Amino acid sequence: MTFRLGVLASHPIQYQAPLFRELAQQLELTVFFAHRQTAGEQSNAGFNVNFEWDVDLLGGYEHKFLSNRAKQPDVSRFLGCDTPQIADEIQQGRFDAFLVTGWYLKSHWQAIRACHKYRVPVMVRGDSQLGSPRGWLKQGLKEILYPRLLRQFDCCLYVGQKNREYLEHYGVPVERLYFSPHCVDNDWFSTLSSQTNRQEIHDSLGLRNDDHAVLFVGKFLDIKRPMDVIDALRILLDRGMQVCGLFAGDGPLKSLLVEQGKQCGVPLHILGFKNQSELPLIYKAADVFVMPSDSETWGLVVNEALACGSPAVVADSVGCAADLVDSGVTGEVFSVGDSVGLANALQSILLNRQEYRG
C-alpha cells in the first residue's frame, strides 16, 4: 500500500520543488500552497525587482493552491495566509501523515488543528536556530510558549545541527527528532556549471586573468552584510592581492555598495538579480563564495555554490556553517562582523585554491 503524505507550504519556493519531485517518486504526495505570489510581491520581499522564477516550481508532483481569504495576503505575516479549506482537504485526503513547513502562518495552525481533529500524524520542518537576533521580551515569551507549541507535533524534522539544537532547547525529545537536511538539486547545478566556460564568463564580465573573484549572492540588505565583503577586499588589496568583488543581487543598499567600492578602490562587478538558470554560470566564474550574514537560518546559496565547485567562506551566524563548511576542505568559517577574519579566510582559500573543493 502506497504511503500518502500531505504537505502545506506557504507558496512555491525554488528550493522546495526538487525535494517535492523526489518525494513524489517515493510515495503518494499532495502539496497544498497557501498563497500564489505575484512578481511584485517577490520584489517586495527584498529582491527589489519584479520577476518570475525561470525554473519549473510545480511540475513533477501533485499540488493544489488553496483559497487565501486573508485581507492582505502575505507569506511573511501570521494573518497573511488564511486557508480554512485545508481542513476539508485533510479530512478527505486519507493521508497517512501530514507535514507543515513551519508554524508562523495562520494556515499552518488551521492544518495542525485539522490533523488533530481527524487523527492524522502531523510533522513540522523548519530551519530556525538559536543564534537569530531577538529581543529579551520575545525570547522570554518563546521560552514559555514554544515547549507547549512544539508538543503539537508528532515529530520534528531538523535540517542541520543548529536547527536540532534549537528544537532540543525548547524541549523536543530525541525520539521525536528526525534528520531531513536542507538541500538543492546538486546534479542540476553541477551539470550546468560543468558545461560553462569559465574564461568566457570572465571575458564577458571584464575580469583580468589574474583577478581573484569573490562572489556574494543575495539581497542587498543590512542583515546580509554585503559591506563586510568590500571591507575584506580592501584589506586583501592592501596586502597586495589582486581581488575583485562579484555581487549578484539587488536591494536597497545597491547605491551605497557601489559608492563604498569606489571610495575603497575595490573593483566591483554589480551583476544585478540573477534567476536560477543563470546562477551556475556565476558560481563557476567565482574563485570563492562568501556569505557574511548577521542572521541566516540556513543559507541554501551555500549549497548551490558548493554544488558548482566553489568553496565557501561563511559567517558563524549562518545556519549551515556547522554542516556544510569543513575547514580546509569545503571552505572556512569566520566570526560575523569581523572583516579582518573574513579577509584572512578568503586569503587562505585564494592562496591555496587547489586544496579546497566544493
Side-chain angles (χ1 to χ4, degrees), residues 15 18 21 183-190 304 307:
Y15 298 122
R21 279 193 282 270
C183 55
V184 298
D185 189 338
N186 287 339
D187 290 342
W188 185 84
F189 277 98
S190 177
E304 295 176 352

Side-chain angles (χ1 to χ4, degrees), residues 163-184:
N163 184 218
R164 175 170 181 144
E165 292 169 355
Y166 176 92
L167 295 169
E168 288 180 331
H169 174 83
Y170 288 115
V172 179
V174 173
E175 61 270 19
R176 289 201 289 120
L177 290 170
Y178 294 87
F179 186 38
S180 176
H182 259 323
C183 55
V184 298

